[in-house]
Amino acid sequence: MLIKHPADIKPSEITPYDIYRRRREFMVSSGLLAAAGATGLFSGSVLAQAAQKFSGLKKSAYSTSEKPNSFKDISTYNNYYEFGTDKSDPVEYAGKLKVRPWTISVKGEVKKPRTFGIEELLKLPQEERIYRLRCVEAWSMVIPWVGFEFNQIAKLVEPTSKAKFVEFITAVQPDTMPGVRLPVLAWPYTEGLRIDEAMHPLTLMGVGLYDQLLPNQNGAPVRLVVPWKYGFKSAKSIVGIRFVEKQPKIAWEVANPSEYGFYSNVNPNVDHPRWSQKTEKRLPSFFANHKTEMFNGYGDQVAGLYTGMDLKKLY
Ligand SMILES: Nc1nc2c(c(=O)[nH]1)N[C@H]1C(S)=C(S)[C@@H](COP(=O)(O)O)O[C@H]1N2
Ligand SMILES: [Mo]
């Protein structure tokens, strides 16, 4: 049976990574195994969302060999301020987020502006990418994403020569997001990348976690993942993408420009004004048990994007 009803899924079926891996060896078909019947299954808990599975995913050479955090770690300790500022708020409240129907409009400096339905994006070839996520708050996790490279979207819309930056605009659902009633950030949450950063093969559009569609609290149905930048760059629940000529103002920069800059590259040599960035705690550890690496360890691939730039000034 490919599609299970949420009520049929026991907590014991949300498996630790090793078992999940072994079990997956037996699954042969590629891409999304079960995409039908989506509507209605997405509200509710992590458990309810477990009904949709990916299988036969291509394993990316860009993956880290570090041990991934558990599905539970990754989906219960979150930042998603639209649902509240506590780490436990997203898992508690994001079940109400309405993720179908869902469209992403792509426009601006492109030859072929268009609006994608989420189903179209899920049909693009997906792969597994195990990346470190390093939050600006000095904790980190290792996360097995399912997703596709952002540059695949760019190929479909054909950016013009004026496209120098890409802006990502996320959902505002006042009915489902208790957090947007408070002026914590200037909603909608927006993010931005320089065009060469966005086109880099490491820049992923995440649609899944382990073998499941993204839990709402992790940014369903589609979120950005930029592994060499602080976690806040990975805008959740994207509804719009704009290719633009001028550097866009990102939500965190607007809220507090002395603490958060446009680039936000992971950099142990540039402290946050209120704390050091030299180390991090790898959850679920309580201690700063990891040294933070330049570009979060992805320097071989991305350092060249910043040649000649003063990364202390352009933080
Ligand atoms: N829309 C939206 N996206 C967001 C955030 C947010 O508050 N709202 N928080 C960011 C921060 S600070 C981090 S560290 C990551 C956390 O992603 P995760 O919860 O999937 O680990 O999401 C980022 N994306
Ligand atoms: Mo973060």
Side-chain angles (χ1 to χ4, degrees):
M1 195 168 82
L2 300 184
I3 298 176
K4 289 191 175 183
H5 293 289
D8 298 337
I9 296 167
K10 300 188 214 85
S12 58
E13 285 186 58
I14 296 183
T15 50
Y17 190 70
D18 291 349
I19 300 173
Y20 146 82
R21 269 245 138 129
R22 261 179 277 135
R23 194 181 59 194
R24 210 180 47 182
E25 304 287 299
F26 294 100
M27 298 180 166
V28 285
S29 62
S30 75
L32 189 63
L33 195 63
T39 325
L41 282 174
F42 289 88
S43 55
S45 65
V46 175
L47 227 56
Q49 293 156 8
Q52 311 274 315
K53 305 218 174 199
F54 293 94
S55 75
L57 290 164
K58 181 185 157 209
K59 287 170 194 158
S60 171
Y62 289 117
S63 290
T64 168
S65 55
E66 288 162 287
K67 187 174 180 280
N69 282 84
S70 68
F71 187 91
K72 192 170 171 224
D73 285 348
I74 300 167
S75 61
T76 58
Y77 185 93
N78 301 101
N79 276 331
Y80 196 161
Y81 278 18
E82 288 85 335
F83 293 99
T85 53
D86 280 357
K87 297 289 180 277
S88 58
D89 285 337
V91 65
E92 187 163 348
Y93 300 115
K96 292 211 172 77
L97 179 73
K98 238 183 122 241
V99 298
R100 294 291 186 282
W102 194 276
T103 58
I104 298 115
S105 80
V106 188
K107 55 190 182 188
E109 292 298 341
V110 293
K111 288 184 200 130
K112 296 178 175 167
R114 59 183 273 199
T115 296
F116 295 91
I118 186 63
E119 290 77 12
E120 287 173 80
L121 296 182
L122 285 170
K123 272 182 210 145
L124 294 172
Q126 309 291 339
E127 54 182 274
E128 176 194 83
R129 291 268 180 112
I130 308 175
Y131 279 162
R132 286 179 289 279
L133 180 140
R134 205 301 193 166
C135 178
V136 75
E137 297 160 336
W139 51 265
S140 61
M141 289 197 249
V142 177
I143 305 183
W145 300 109
V146 180
F148 60 93
E149 291 176 14
F150 173 79
N151 57 44
Q152 290 202 52
I153 288 190
K155 265 177 222 137
L156 294 169
V157 298
E158 299 177 25
T160 70
S161 59
K162 279 189 179 164
K164 302 282 195 294
F165 295 90
V166 186
E167 184 177 23
F168 297 84
I169 300 123
T170 72
V172 180
Q173 291 182 4
D175 295 349
T176 68
M177 296 172 160
V180 302
R181 282 177 231 137
L182 304 169
V184 181
L185 291 170
W187 315 111
Y189 188 111
T190 58
E191 259 308 338
L193 295 172
R194 216 171 53 193
I195 187 87
D196 55 341
E197 298 177 319
M199 298 301 275
H200 193 281
L202 281 179
T203 300
L204 203 71
M205 297 295 275
V207 298
L209 181 60
Y210 278 98
D211 62 347
Q212 330 228 330
L213 285 167
L214 273 186
N216 291 353
Q217 60 271 30
N218 290 92
V222 57
R223 56 93 59 84
L224 187 61
V225 185
V226 195
W228 70 96
K229 293 179 180 272
Y230 288 118
F232 65 84
K233 276 278 157 189
S234 29
K236 294 177 171 180
S237 308
I238 293 168
V239 293
I241 296 170
R242 292 205 307 148
F243 288 79
V244 293
E245 199 172 355
K246 295 212 176 78
Q247 182 175 310
K249 278 257 183 256
I250 63 168
W252 290 102
E253 206 184 353
V254 173
N256 199 338
S258 66
E259 299 195 356
Y260 308 107
F262 177 80
Y263 283 94
S264 316
N265 292 316
V266 173
N267 189 341
N269 307 315
V270 178
D271 288 340
H272 185 277
R274 289 181 283 143
W275 59 82
S276 163
Q277 296 291 26
K278 288 202 172 12
T279 58
E280 64 206 53
K281 53 179 180 181
R282 174 65 48 82
L283 299 176
S285 169
F286 194 71
F287 302 101
N289 54 354
H290 263 68
K291 268 198 167 162
T292 293
E293 291 177 68
M294 189 65 204
F295 299 117
N296 201 22
Y298 300 91
D300 286 351
Q301 292 97 319
V302 300
L305 296 174
Y306 308 103
T307 314
M309 275 173 63
D310 181 348
L311 297 179
K312 290 205 161 108
K313 287 211 180 91
L314 295 164
Y315 54 92

